[in-house]
Amino acid sequence: MDIKSLLLFLIPWSLFFILFEFILRKKLNINRPKGFYRGVNNLHKRVEIGLFIGFLLSMIIMEFFFSGMDKYTLFIFFTFLFGVRAFMEWKFDRPTREYIITFWAFCFFCVFTISFIFLF
């Protein structure tokens, strides 16, 4: 996998994601949240911190015991993270409808990960 083919893969996917999110927010009248990250409640924050710690530990274990991290681990982690985040927002914060955007990101990342695995 060279950098040129990777960029030719990432740039259209990124532009499609940004454009569709913009259209979805305008069409459904969903405001952007203030700040970079906003947890729904304490349970949500704890679950995501646990996911990050589990991911870091799995990276360390894979590096030392299995001679290197699999190149798909990061994509799988983000797909799982978006899924958990969409579920928590849907379950505990429905009035803001931010879960629609997060679910879109989850679906996008699933398709992106599968296409990345098959192409590279």
Side-chain angles (χ1 to χ4, degrees):
M1 171 171 67
D2 60 337
I3 191 74
K4 185 178 177 182
S5 61
L6 182 64
L7 286 176
L8 285 174
F9 180 74
L10 287 176
I11 290 173
W13 277 94
S14 301
L15 290 175
F16 176 72
F17 177 77
I18 292 168
L19 179 67
F20 196 79
E21 180 188 356
F22 177 77
I23 292 170
L24 199 59
R25 283 189 186 276
K26 286 286 188 188
K27 199 86 154 147
L28 299 175
N29 198 19
I30 301 172
N31 296 327
R32 286 197 163 276
K34 293 180 177 133
F36 181 70
Y37 172 74
R38 178 187 56 85
V40 175
N41 55 21
N42 285 334
L43 175 65
H44 182 206
K45 291 177 186 177
R46 289 180 184 148
V47 167
E48 285 199 3
I49 289 171
L51 285 173
F52 280 116
I53 291 171
F55 174 68
L56 291 175
L57 288 175
S58 68
M59 280 184 18
I60 292 169
I61 289 170
M62 289 172 67
E63 187 65 38
F64 286 117
F65 296 114
F66 299 111
S67 69
M69 184 178 79
D70 187 20
K71 62 182 176 180
Y72 308 119
T73 307
L74 186 62
F75 294 114
I76 293 168
F77 167 72
F78 277 118
T79 304
F80 189 66
L81 181 69
F82 279 126
V84 168
R85 188 174 287 180
F87 174 75
M88 293 297 249
E89 288 174 351
W90 171 77
K91 186 75 174 167
F92 297 110
D93 197 18
R94 281 192 194 170
T96 63
R97 298 188 310 168
E98 186 66 30
Y99 68 92
I100 297 170
I101 303 297
T102 308
F103 185 71
W104 151 248
F106 169 70
C107 292
F108 174 82
F109 230 82
C110 286
V111 171
F112 176 81
T113 302
I114 291 168
S115 62
F116 184 82
I117 288 170
F118 284 117
L119 290 176
F120 297 103

